[in-house]
Amino acid sequence: MASNLKSLFFYGFSFSEVDSPYIEKILKSITTSKPIIYINKMSFEAGIYYLKHVCAKLGLNAVFYKISD
């Protein structure tokens, strides 16, 4: 099912193997080619590394921001 989501917020993800199916399913359902993705500062480094890879694989030109607590 496609969604017209334009922004995503990631809190509490470790961006490890256990999160992969959920994150990929969410990203595959996005219809915009340039989503805005916010990642909490505790997981930002791991998250941006992982999400850039998945977005590239799916052809998404995402913009990333760090969420400050």
Side-chain angles (χ1 to χ4, degrees):
M1 177 175 6
S3 173
N4 56 358
L5 290 174
K6 295 180 182 154
S7 299
L8 297 168
F9 293 80
F10 286 95
Y11 280 99
F13 280 92
S14 63
F15 298 99
S16 64
E17 291 278 326
V18 72
D19 294 328
S20 293
Y22 305 105
I23 294 170
E24 288 193 28
K25 184 158 180 95
I26 292 167
L27 291 173
K28 284 179 182 176
S29 69
I30 295 174
T31 57
T32 183
S33 63
K34 193 170 185 172
I36 300 169
I37 299 177
Y38 299 90
I39 308 165
N40 72 312
K41 70 179 181 178
M42 296 298 289
S43 353
F44 188 76
E45 295 303 320
I48 197 162
Y49 175 80
Y50 173 80
L51 291 169
K52 278 186 175 182
H53 172 73
V54 175
C55 286
K57 184 171 80 171
L58 297 174
L60 299 173
N61 186 21
V63 177
F64 298 93
Y65 293 100
K66 185 188 297 186
I67 302 169
S68 298
D69 294 335

